[in-house]
Amino acid sequence: MDSNLSEEDQISYKTKLTSIFKYYLAEGELDDKEFKKIQWETKTHELVSLAINKFFDENEDKLAVFIAYFRKLFEKKLISLIDIQQGLALLFNQLPLIEADIPHLPSTLSKFLLDISFGDQKLIDFKDLHIHTLERKEDTDISIYVKLVAVLTQKLQEKGAGTTEALFRDLKFDQLLENIKFKEFEDWEYVMDTLKEEFQVPEQFL
């Protein structure tokens, strides 16, 4: 899934979304009217993707506030489960381009996903995000996806979520890794060795 917005429009909407988030930071309340204004101009899942994308520019110490802000958008029915699902699908296809400028992306995104798609307070089940069906692009550096799988696996195990094998099977991490595994990726063996050694990923899933 790719964005239908031009680069100029994406920058414009990111600026507007940043303003809405900063209002929430300052006032502790959501500026419904401003969000609804831009909803009239483009598809809501595009805004979900851009809002999360833009947050990567912020310090990670604001993540808890951003999650509260994101949940408030959902509680006020400004975004739906389908918007979240489609927005994250769009974002996942853009991750290789984003990571080039944001080295802390795997850590920040994994913490965001842990909050909204795992546990008793989740908004959407991670298994419903369909990231394992990620579109293949031969010229894409796929290391960000491997890093994200590794970080999520580690954080979930720290919470006692089960064995690596169970996580890979239940969350379809094995399908994601298989789908993005290109022969052209020269460092693949190194990445796999790292996963096996540091995260005890079973050989059959690699």
Side-chain angles (χ1 to χ4, degrees), residues 65-116:
V65 181
F66 178 77
I67 290 173
Y69 159 76
F70 191 85
R71 286 181 172 275
K72 187 68 71 175
L73 290 172
F74 180 75
E75 289 169 11
K76 293 209 168 191
K77 299 183 178 179
L78 294 171
I79 61 176
S80 67
L81 290 178
I82 292 177
D83 295 326
I84 295 173
Q85 184 177 19
Q86 293 181 343
L88 283 169
L90 178 59
L91 180 68
F92 266 87
N93 275 284
Q94 298 172 336
L95 288 182
L97 299 176
I98 301 171
E99 190 200 18
D101 300 318
I102 307 171
H104 61 273
L105 189 152
S107 173
T108 302
L109 181 55
S110 65
K111 290 176 182 176
F112 175 77
L113 290 172
L114 282 169
D115 189 281
I116 69 158

Side-chain angles (χ1 to χ4, degrees), residues 135-149:
E135 296 171 13
R136 296 178 59 134
K137 295 182 180 178
E138 296 296 333
D139 59 346
T140 300
D141 178 358
I142 54 108
S143 59
I144 176 58
Y145 301 113
V146 180
K147 292 175 187 175
L148 188 62
V149 166

Side-chain angles (χ1 to χ4, degrees), residues 2-202:
D2 291 317
S3 175
N4 293 317
L5 298 175
S6 67
E7 185 174 348
E8 184 178 349
D9 284 339
Q10 289 185 44
I11 293 172
S12 175
Y13 285 124
K14 280 184 180 180
T15 300
K16 293 175 181 177
L17 287 164
T18 298
S19 177
I20 294 170
F21 177 56
K22 286 185 176 179
Y23 180 89
Y24 182 84
L25 276 173
E27 304 295 331
E29 296 179 358
L30 196 60
D31 192 342
D32 301 37
K33 292 182 179 178
E34 286 303 312
F35 192 86
K36 287 177 180 176
K37 279 183 184 178
I38 56 176
Q39 269 186 311
W40 282 104
E41 301 171 9
T42 190
K43 294 179 179 178
T44 304
H45 77 271
E46 294 266 12
L47 298 178
V48 169
S49 178
L50 289 171
I52 301 171
N53 184 334
K54 183 58 182 172
F55 178 74
F56 295 141
D57 293 340
E58 300 284 348
N59 294 327
E60 199 172 272
D61 58 9
K62 294 179 183 175
L63 180 59
V65 181
F66 178 77
I67 290 173
Y69 159 76
F70 191 85
R71 286 181 172 275
K72 187 68 71 175
L73 290 172
F74 180 75
E75 289 169 11
K76 293 209 168 191
K77 299 183 178 179
L78 294 171
I79 61 176
S80 67
L81 290 178
I82 292 177
D83 295 326
I84 295 173
Q85 184 177 19
Q86 293 181 343
L88 283 169
L90 178 59
L91 180 68
F92 266 87
N93 275 284
Q94 298 172 336
L95 288 182
L97 299 176
I98 301 171
E99 190 200 18
D101 300 318
I102 307 171
H104 61 273
L105 189 152
S107 173
T108 302
L109 181 55
S110 65
K111 290 176 182 176
F112 175 77
L113 290 172
L114 282 169
D115 189 281
I116 69 158
S117 55
F118 293 96
D120 296 337
Q121 303 300 315
K122 63 187 175 187
L123 299 182
I124 187 171
D125 196 304
F126 186 86
K127 287 179 282 190
D128 294 332
L129 295 179
H130 303 302
I131 66 165
H132 59 284
T133 60
L134 193 72
E135 296 171 13
R136 296 178 59 134
K137 295 182 180 178
E138 296 296 333
D139 59 346
T140 300
D141 178 358
I142 54 108
S143 59
I144 176 58
Y145 301 113
V146 180
K147 292 175 187 175
L148 188 62
V149 166
V151 174
L152 273 174
T153 300
Q154 182 183 44
K155 291 184 182 300
L156 286 167
Q157 287 184 322
E158 288 172 356
K159 292 176 176 287
T163 65
T164 307
E165 182 174 352
L167 287 171
F168 268 54
R169 180 184 63 249
D170 296 342
L171 300 177
K172 301 181 181 178
F173 281 161
D174 54 330
Q175 292 182 34
L176 172 64
L177 291 176
E178 179 60 30
N179 197 43
I180 61 175
K181 183 177 177 181
F182 305 135
K183 293 179 180 178
E184 292 81 358
F185 183 50
E186 296 177 359
D187 293 328
W188 185 259
E189 292 303 321
Y190 167 75
V191 172
M192 292 300 93
D193 287 342
T194 301
L195 279 173
K196 283 186 285 186
E197 292 171 10
E198 296 187 16
F199 301 98
Q200 293 78 53
V201 179

